[in-house]
Amino acid sequence: MFNILEKARVDLITIKQLSLDGQLLTEFNCPLERPLEDLWSHQSFFVHMIEGRKGWYAHDEEVLLGPGETAFVRKGATLLRQYLDQPSCVVLFFISDDFICETLRSIGRERRTVSNTLPPVFRIRTGLIMQSFFQGMLAHFHEAPPGNELLRLKFRELLLAVVGDPHNAEVLNYFCSL
């Protein structure tokens, strides 16, 4: 099984990255070598497709992402389908549960129990605000890296933009259950 978080942390040559207090932002230029990869991560992450396409599988459900689309992948195991007919590039935001909870508490969202079973992969609505956010973050890989406080604000901005969109209610329920 391929540990995607550990791969990103140690591959400082081919994977562009920015990190802060356990959070990690990476840019992967793919494809990987095999059409199917068993993935594992001990941190949840957002995946945003810049180009190409990938399918994230868990519990017999697929979330297929194309350019400009985003998903939230819960920590644990998933299966990644690679489409090797075209190059692909993804931006991954690895975010700890503690950071998610801290951010939600700062806006008055408290922990609550969620009764229904939540999926391991959530599709995130990626409107104009989210598209602009991801394009802005890509610039930080090609310019001077942001300072720690700006990077912390960018991770918070991502979370707040997601939970502020009513179309993402399911992922908000998951966040509140942490």
Side-chain angles (χ1 to χ4, degrees):
M1 191 169 283
F2 179 73
N3 186 329
I4 191 169
L5 177 58
E6 292 309 311
K7 168 75 172 160
R9 287 193 194 281
V10 299
D11 189 348
L12 302 174
I13 305 295
T14 60
I15 300 172
K16 298 173 188 168
Q17 61 180 269
L18 302 167
S19 64
L20 172 76
D21 300 334
Q23 281 42 256
L24 181 66
L25 166 61
T26 67
E27 180 186 19
F28 274 93
N29 284 302
C30 304
L32 297 176
E33 297 164 357
R34 297 184 303 220
L36 289 174
E37 290 281 349
D38 288 321
L39 299 181
W40 182 84
S41 177
H42 66 274
Q43 266 188 346
S44 299
F45 58 94
F46 288 93
V47 56
H48 179 74
M49 292 297 303
I50 302 300
E51 67 177 316
R53 60 190 170 121
K54 294 186 181 296
W56 298 85
Y57 287 90
H59 303 298
D60 297 325
E61 293 182 30
E62 178 187 26
V63 174
L64 181 61
L65 298 178
E69 295 181 315
T70 307
F72 179 77
V73 181
R74 290 172 43 188
K75 62 186 172 186
T78 58
L79 182 66
L80 173 63
R81 178 180 303 278
Q82 306 260 52
Y83 293 90
L84 304 177
D85 58 334
Q86 57 185 313
S88 65
C89 178
V90 297
V91 175
L92 303 174
F93 281 78
F94 293 92
I95 299 182
S96 69
D97 290 352
D98 289 341
F99 190 85
I100 292 169
C101 292
E102 171 191 316
T103 300
L104 291 181
R105 276 193 300 274
S106 75
I107 61 168
R109 298 283 181 154
E110 294 299 322
R111 185 183 191 288
R112 66 176 181 242
T113 303
V114 178
S115 59
N116 60 345
T117 303
L118 296 172
V121 181
F122 301 90
R123 182 174 292 283
I124 301 295
R125 182 173 174 271
T126 312
L128 184 57
I129 290 171
M130 292 293 286
Q131 288 291 342
S132 297
F133 172 81
F134 287 113
Q135 288 304 313
M137 289 310 301
L138 279 175
H140 289 292
F141 287 118
H142 305 285
E143 300 286 329
N148 285 347
E149 194 54 37
L150 179 56
L151 192 54
R152 182 181 328 282
L153 289 172
K154 290 298 187 179
F155 276 99
R156 285 178 52 91
E157 179 183 358
L158 173 59
L159 287 172
L160 295 174
V162 168
V163 302
D165 187 329
H167 293 95
N168 297 324
E170 194 173 40
V171 76
L172 174 59
N173 283 340
Y174 170 70
F175 289 166
C176 289
S177 73
L178 295 174

